[in-house]
């Protein structure tokens, strides 16, 4: 009798565990669009220190182009512009935040590149920036070539980091994880220049008149919304991409660009 009870108990536990494992697997494989709709919000990875795309303003509010875009997407996908949770990402962890499933999508000044496309998927481009160089006002650096032998500050994981190494092989690189740290290092004189997208540089210049942006644009940086690859993200990707198409066609994107004053240099830039 005792043995029978024990055997029955073991069977009972086994089926419970099987059921639980099934549930967990089902959750992991569940269609992302359905998951987002069921939870009633989209989780979006954004930057907190790249004005005017994603930044904390003086009232401690998260603001910017990518934030407004995220809300517009939530409005069209979930039906409410507040049905969104923003999570901070950096240039070096944003791809992992997608592949690990921490966020549903990333809208964080992220350039669409073939190398990144091997790991994640992208929407159509929603903005075109260009890599530029920022220096102190009195700097002797006037163009890209003047960087030879100098020290340039970059943000790790950005396209700017890779591009500048290729364009000026003998430049010394000083890398930081965040834009806040990178700009602070430039202000403290730890490097001769800083390179990133013109959009982000204009954000820094709006706060500090002691620096200038050089005329040259080194690359063309089309920004895309990043998604995790996979069959269970397909309908989510299509829905977001369709929403983005509407946002572009009905003038919403233009309005966001004007609001953040980035429409005047949103032109395809000549590559180097
Ligand atoms: N757009 C570039 C990139 O995706 C530079 C800006 C950034 O670090 O996000 O890498």
């Amino acid at each position: 009798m005792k043995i029978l009870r024990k055997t029955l108990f073991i069977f009972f536990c086994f089926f419970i565990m099987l059921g639980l494992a099934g549930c967990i697997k089902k959750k992991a494989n569940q269609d992302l669009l359905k998951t987002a709709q069921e939870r009633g919000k989209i989780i979006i990875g954004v930057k907190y220190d790249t004005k005017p795309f994603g930044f904390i303003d003086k009232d401690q509010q998260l603001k910017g182009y990518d934030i407004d875009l995220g809300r517009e997407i939530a409005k069209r996908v979930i039906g409410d512009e507040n049905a969104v949770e923003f999570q901070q990402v950096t240039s070096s962890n944003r791809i992992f935040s997608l592949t690990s499933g921490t966020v549903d999508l990333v809208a964080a000044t992220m350039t669409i590149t073939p190398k990144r496309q091997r790991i994640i998927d992208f929407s159509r481009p929603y903005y075109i920036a260009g890599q530029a160089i920022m220096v102190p006002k009195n700097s002797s650096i006037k163009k890209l070539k003047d960087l030879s032998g100098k020290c340039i500050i970059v943000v790790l994981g950005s396209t700017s980091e890779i591009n500048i190494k290729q364009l000026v092989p003998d430049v010394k690189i000083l890398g930081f994880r965040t834009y806040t740290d990178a700009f602070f290092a430039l202000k403290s004189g730890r490097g001769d220049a800083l390179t990133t997208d013109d959009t982000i540089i204009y954000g820094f210049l709006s706060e500090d008149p002691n620096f200038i942006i050089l005329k040259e644009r080194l690359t063309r940086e089309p920004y895309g919304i990043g998604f995790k690859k996979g069959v269970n993200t397909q309908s989510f990707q299509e829905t977001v991409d369709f929403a983005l198409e509407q946002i572009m066609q009905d003038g919403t994107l233009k309005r966001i660009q004007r609001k953040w004053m980035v429409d005047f240099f949103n032109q395809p830039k000549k590559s180097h």
Side-chain angles (χ1 to χ4, degrees), residues 19-185:
L20 270 178
C23 277
I24 290 166
K25 196 159 178 233
K26 215 166 133 202
K27 260 260 166 302
N29 289 333
Q30 188 171 302
D31 182 75
L32 183 58
L33 183 61
K34 220 172 136 209
T35 307
Q37 282 165 341
E38 275 173 15
R39 82 158 97 81
K41 64 180 177 190
I42 303 179
I43 304 172
I44 304 185
V46 294
K47 298 261 194 67
Y48 281 25
D49 63 353
T50 51
K51 194 179 177 182
F53 275 76
F55 65 102
I56 306 284
D57 73 359
K58 50 181 183 337
D59 302 320
Q60 298 307 304
Q61 299 297 310
L62 184 60
K63 292 273 169 70
Y65 185 119
D66 282 332
I67 313 305
D68 286 353
L69 183 62
R71 291 197 188 285
E72 283 299 330
I73 288 169
K75 188 159 102 188
R76 287 154 213 255
V77 175
I78 308 283
D80 176 1
E81 64 169 24
N82 294 315
V84 58
E85 179 187 320
F86 292 109
Q87 284 195 15
Q88 185 178 15
V89 294
T90 63
S91 299
S92 52
N93 74 11
R94 61 192 161 188
I95 289 182
F96 182 68
S97 75
L98 283 171
T99 55
S100 63
T102 315
V103 299
D104 301 332
L105 64 86
V106 158
T109 66
M110 180 156 61
T111 302
I112 305 166
T113 70
K115 202 171 152 205
R116 288 175 180 165
Q117 276 170 321
R118 277 189 244 137
I119 313 167
I120 56 166
D121 288 334
F122 282 99
S123 68
R124 69 193 63 223
Y126 65 88
Y127 191 81
I128 296 171
Q131 185 177 340
I133 297 160
M134 172 185 191
V135 292
K137 253 186 180 153
N138 57 1
S139 172
S140 60
I141 300 167
K142 307 280 180 222
K143 49 189 180 328
L144 180 71
K145 289 205 177 72
D146 300 336
L147 283 174
S148 184
K150 295 276 196 312
C151 176
I152 192 147
I153 294 166
V154 298
V155 165
L156 301 168
S158 65
T159 47
S160 333
E161 179 192 4
I162 300 164
N163 297 333
I164 202 71
K165 281 180 187 162
Q166 280 166 359
L167 292 168
V168 190
D170 67 341
V171 73
K172 286 188 214 80
I173 307 275
L174 186 58
F176 293 90
R177 266 192 336 106
T178 66
Y179 279 92
T180 309
D181 290 347
F183 188 40
F184 185 73

Side-chain angles (χ1 to χ4, degrees), residues 1-2 8 11 16 18 29 35 45 76 98 110 116 121 143 147 185 198 202 204 232 237 242 263:
M1 193 62 186
K2 221 174 168 185
L8 276 175
F11 265 110
I16 293 275
L18 216 65
N29 289 333
T35 307
R76 287 154 213 255
L98 283 171
M110 180 156 61
R116 288 175 180 165
D121 288 334
K143 49 189 180 328
L147 283 174
D198 44 12
Y202 280 112
F204 288 143
N232 56 337
Q237 287 196 30
F242 180 71
D263 56 323

